[in-house]
Amino acid sequence: MGKKRKVSNGDQKPKSPPLLSSYNDKIRPILDAVDKLRRLNVTQQGIPLPTIVVVGDQSSGKSSVLESLAGISLPRGQGICTRVPLIMRLQHHLDPVPEFRLQFKEKTVTITHESQIAEAIDLATVEIAGSSKGISNVPLTLVVKKNGVPDLTMIDLPGITRVAVHDQPENIYEQITDIIMEHIKPEESIILNVLSADVDFTTCESIRMSRRVDSTGQRTLAVVTKSNRSPNGLLEKVTTNAVNIGLGYVCVRNRIDNETYNEAQIIEAKLFESHPLLSVIDKSMVGIPVLAQKLVQIQSVTISKCLPDIVKKIKEKLNDSVLELNKIPQNLKSIPEAMIAFTQIIGSLKETLQKFLIRGEFDDLENEHTCCNARLAEMVDDFSKELHTDDKISENFLVEEMRVLKEANAIQLPQFLPNYVFLYLLQRKVSSISDLPVRFVNNVWDYLESICVKVLIDHCGSYPQLHSPMRKATQNLMAKMKNKFLKRVFEMIEMEKSTDYTCDPNYIVLWNQLKSKNYDTLSQAVLNRSKVVNVKGHGSVTIDHLFNVPENVREQAFDLKMRMVAYWEIVLKRMVDWLALQLRFMIRKVVNKEIETAILNEVMLPSGGIEKMLDEPPSVAKNKERLQRSIALLQESKEIIEQVMGDILITAD
């Protein structure tokens, strides 16, 4: 009593294998090709592969389902049994003697007997993820060639657990979630969601995760385990589909105790035929054979649909890698070869700088920093605005002019204005804005240096040994040219201080306009004792301090002020024009001649970079090696896919 009766093979013959061998023969070459691509790690090249990903909450019965499909025993125990992604490659094998092997970390372990599989997986897992309960995203591949198994490739992932136990890391849930999401996110992935019949599907963590990436459920298939333990309400669960499982449900019975897989399949078939609650579930939704057949069909459709896109992506990635490799220059073997390469770099550098800084062309409109002419024009405009903003009429209107006139008074004919009076006021105004041209030069030259260095690095990227001497030469040149520019600016400022002159006829016109239009207004305001008056072109000024000033003094001070206002407009315009012209002139000089000379002088030194160009830098060698590996892998992948597609076409004919 209490012991389960073992069902012998004689009680009932097992049903035929899930699929006919002729169907397996058609799908097998395609599946083999995809598996070869997976072994080549083509996914690391950004090419997703169609994959059945098995997910489920811990203790949902994932291992039992996989064991039933593969007809083998997997590791069992408390806590997380699957600690690394387990790629299971099942292949129907005509030979009655099965074959098993493990592949991981470029190793292959041959397993001689089924009973050794679980232990071999445990040992490999420890080697990959350590002896504690931690997990790893490094995959382990189990190849099962056995008579009667479906042609399937699946990836079994760690069961979802929220609470860390024993020596598991505290963030075990987050680690598992990251691994699962990485595998189920690609549109090519088919999600096999394992659900226990005795739980509310809507609360299952695996359902929540799959719905995050597949909200419509169009690539999710659910397998419901432990149907024999919780038959009540199961029909309603799988028919109402409250959790949006687009590919449908398959209900299965877990293998119990020492039942053989053959016995378990027979008992499962009887259960769904005779159980009062389970027998009413449609036969297309029950049993491991049905699950196997559905998975193979889904896998076949998915691979067929994805295959053209895989071919396209492999070709595109291969072309990109070949193009990138071809951009890396071949190793230079002699000084003449290095000189030729260096001359080409200098020529290309000059051409790009001429394009950016002289012709005003640009490559990338989104990168405003490299639209150089526009940025330089903005800097000139900002400088001009700053100059004019700084020139404000003092609140003590005419006070300074009256004080200067008083101190310039002498025993002489009245109304004669000495030239030094005007120069004195001019010097003070020029001094008040003298820091602005200096700041402009510093800002502009810092910008030009950043552009030159960026272009330089872009053009000698394949020869990083040139970076240091060429950058040094460029920065030294820019510092030298900036200092030369600043020297001229200081001379310009001194010139404006020491000399007052213009041949611009607008000076007289503007002076007369300002004097005639504004003085009558000012006189009337003083007469009316108005505290504020509007000086045309300059806004409101306070004048109550002028009420008791003699008319002749006020008039002479006002005339001096208007002369300065008219002349100052010309000074500011002259400063802006002069700085802009000097800037354009010096840019042309730097780009067309100076930068080439400076770089040549630096690089041609014994400690320069010409000889060093013969030594390939480690970073370039590493990049070249990476690209060569990538090209070899993609080329092999392309040949694999083309071979299988060719075979398909031949078979179709």
Side-chain angles (χ1 to χ4, degrees), residues 102-118:
L102 280 178
Q103 296 168 335
F104 62 98
K105 287 188 172 182
E106 300 182 357
K107 295 181 182 179
T108 298
V109 177
T110 301
I111 303 170
T112 55
H113 196 273
E114 282 186 40
S115 60
Q116 301 170 338
I117 292 175

Side-chain angles (χ1 to χ4, degrees), residues 22-39:
S22 60
Y23 185 78
N24 288 339
D25 291 342
K26 292 178 182 177
I27 190 63
R28 186 71 253 166
I30 301 176
L31 189 55
D32 279 345
V34 173
D35 284 337
K36 285 178 182 177
L37 297 184
R38 187 173 286 108
R39 287 201 306 277

Side-chain angles (χ1 to χ4, degrees), residues 68-199:
S68 297
L69 288 169
I72 59 170
S73 295
L74 296 172
R76 296 293 188 98
Q78 295 297 315
I80 301 174
C81 299
T82 305
R83 298 196 288 124
V84 299
L86 176 62
I87 302 171
M88 295 184 65
R89 292 184 57 221
L90 311 183
Q91 182 175 351
H92 175 63
H93 197 45
L94 295 176
D95 194 320
V97 179
E99 295 178 14
F100 311 101
R101 66 176 181 272
L102 280 178
Q103 296 168 335
F104 62 98
K105 287 188 172 182
E106 300 182 357
K107 295 181 182 179
T108 298
V109 177
T110 301
I111 303 170
T112 55
H113 196 273
E114 282 186 40
S115 60
Q116 301 170 338
I117 292 175
E119 183 183 1
I121 291 175
D122 280 336
L123 291 173
T125 300
V126 168
E127 187 170 337
I128 294 171
S131 57
S132 63
K133 293 294 183 180
I135 63 172
S136 170
N137 202 14
V138 177
L140 168 64
T141 300
L142 173 64
V143 180
V144 176
K145 293 184 177 182
K146 189 177 180 182
N147 189 269
V149 300
D151 282 277
L152 284 174
T153 296
M154 301 172 289
I155 299 181
D156 180 29
L157 299 179
I160 303 164
T161 180
R162 279 194 169 275
V163 181
V165 295
H166 305 302
D167 54 352
Q168 290 175 348
E170 289 298 320
N171 65 338
I172 188 69
Y173 171 74
E174 287 75 15
Q175 288 188 32
I176 293 173
T177 299
D178 289 345
I179 292 175
I180 291 174
M181 295 304 292
E182 179 184 326
H183 284 83
I184 66 176
K185 189 174 182 179
E187 291 292 326
E188 295 78 8
S189 293
I190 297 300
I191 305 168
L192 180 60
N193 213 317
V194 181
L195 310 169
S196 178
D198 56 5
V199 301

